[in-house]
Amino acid sequence: MDEAQFTDIVRRYRDHLFAIAFQYTKNAADADDMAQIALLKCYQAAAPFESEAHIRHWLIRVTVNECKRYLVSPWRRYTAPIEDYAETLGFETPEQSALFLAVMDLPQKYRVPIHLYYYEDYSVREIAGILGIRESAVQTRLLRARRKLKDKLEGENDAE
Amino acid sequence: MLNKEQYQAAFAHLHASGAPIRQEAKLMKKGRIRKSAAITAAVAALSITAAGAANAATDGALLESICVAFRCEVQDTQTNPDGTTTYSVKGEDGSDIAVTVTGDPNAPRGVLVNGDGSADSPSFDVQVNEDGSVTATEKDADTASPAQEAADH
């Protein structure tokens, strides 16, 4: 892979990988590290990539695997309150902020499939492949995550 | 009901930092730096940034796969014929410090080298010896199984 290709890959995928890693780490600095490791591994990858979809899928799988290793590692940064981080993101509407916080409040096993489905536009089958779980498990997690989000967001609206 | 447009609008606000990943890749291309070293150096750079911003960072912010990180600027990395890796770092007082890390799989992971040449770790009791070497012993281990790193000042 030449430098121009790598620069292009970094430009196109870094934020995506960061957002996925953030679902695991809830910490911008560690999510940055995970995305960076995946990109450096891509740079070093010996096998040629067949297509854009292949690169994207490969990068996401590597990021997910690195994040799984991160979760069992003792070397983790202390997590700052997500509300503090959300305040730095400059949401345009209160609804965006509420949705972000509601998703981040979900258990991690629900956050990741939700993100891959709604942000990366992957199918249930593809998510199952990326996460190494059964399609039925992905469907169940998506269903439960949606219910939890609905309850949480509607509860907030009722409170207002 | 959650839809993709709403979700994507909310999460489009997440952006990675501008850490110098392309520079690390360039060094790897030139063969001046090994992949693991590049990652370590990259994490070191991030640690410095975090320390500057938060004015603290005593948390051993490392990854499991990384043996050593630095709270000081990593200027060069060299792989030695015996398989060890030497990191040239700039200390807090501007002094040059060379830290040589063994490739021993039993070597301590996550040792943090400070700008003053001292080192510490959340998992290991780290002692800098008079000859400049660093001895790391797993905390609370019944049987001490010291792993060695040589850190020549």
Side-chain angles (χ1 to χ4, degrees), chain B residues 42-130:
Chain B
V43 170
L46 289 170
S47 298
I48 293 162
T49 308
N55 196 27
T58 55
D59 52 351
L62 304 173
L63 303 173
E64 191 183 28
S65 59
I66 292 170
C67 288
V68 179
F70 301 91
R71 282 196 182 122
C72 36
E73 184 186 350
V74 179
Q75 298 193 312
D76 196 19
T77 307
Q78 182 184 331
T79 304
N80 304 314
D82 62 358
T84 61
T85 304
T86 299
Y87 300 88
S88 299
V89 300
K90 186 66 85 178
E92 283 170 349
D93 59 356
S95 61
D96 293 319
I97 302 171
V99 180
T100 302
V101 181
T102 69
D104 180 354
N106 296 318
R109 291 177 178 276
V111 171
L112 201 57
V113 177
N114 299 309
D116 60 1
S118 65
D120 53 42
S121 164
S123 302
F124 296 90
D125 289 322
V126 182
Q127 183 186 338
V128 179
N129 304 314
E130 284 183 8

Side-chain angles (χ1 to χ4, degrees), chain A residues 34-53:
Chain A
M34 300 298 118
Q36 190 163 110
I37 289 169
L39 287 163
L40 286 171
K41 283 189 172 178
C42 173
Y43 188 73
Q44 290 257 303
F49 293 102
E50 294 158 8
S51 63
E52 276 306 308

Side-chain angles (χ1 to χ4, degrees), chain B residues 24 29 40 42 53 55 90 116 118 120 133-134 136 140 143 147 150 152:
Chain B
E24 308 301 341
K29 188 82 168 180
T40 304
N55 196 27
K90 186 66 85 178
D116 60 1
S118 65
D120 53 42
S133 66
V134 177
D140 301 322
T143 309
D152 301 318

Side-chain angles (χ1 to χ4, degrees), chain A residues 15 32-33 36-37 75 115 121, chain B residues 4 16-17 42 46 62 109 122:
Chain A
D15 283 345
D32 245 344
D33 288 349
Q36 190 163 110
I37 289 169
W75 306 105
H115 187 82
D121 221 9
Chain B
K4 289 187 178 179
S17 76
L46 289 170
L62 304 173
R109 291 177 178 276

Side-chain angles (χ1 to χ4, degrees), chain A residues 98-144:
Chain A
L99 176 58
F100 176 82
L101 290 172
V103 171
M104 296 313 297
D105 196 39
L106 291 172
Q108 176 242 311
K109 69 175 183 176
Y110 297 145
R111 282 199 306 271
V112 178
I114 277 279
H115 187 82
L116 292 174
Y117 185 84
Y118 283 97
Y119 196 80
E120 295 296 336
D121 221 9
Y122 276 122
S123 67
V124 167
R125 186 178 180 180
E126 288 168 323
I127 295 169
I130 289 169
L131 299 181
I133 57 178
R134 291 196 308 273
E135 285 180 45
S136 58
V138 174
Q139 282 171 329
T140 303
R141 291 182 192 186
L142 285 173
L143 185 69
R144 289 180 182 165

Side-chain angles (χ1 to χ4, degrees), chain A residues 14-23 115 119-120, chain B residues 11 14:
Chain A
R14 192 174 195 174
D15 283 345
H16 285 263
L17 302 180
F18 172 82
I20 290 166
F22 193 83
Q23 304 300 326
H115 187 82
Y119 196 80
E120 295 296 336
Chain B
F11 280 80
L14 279 176

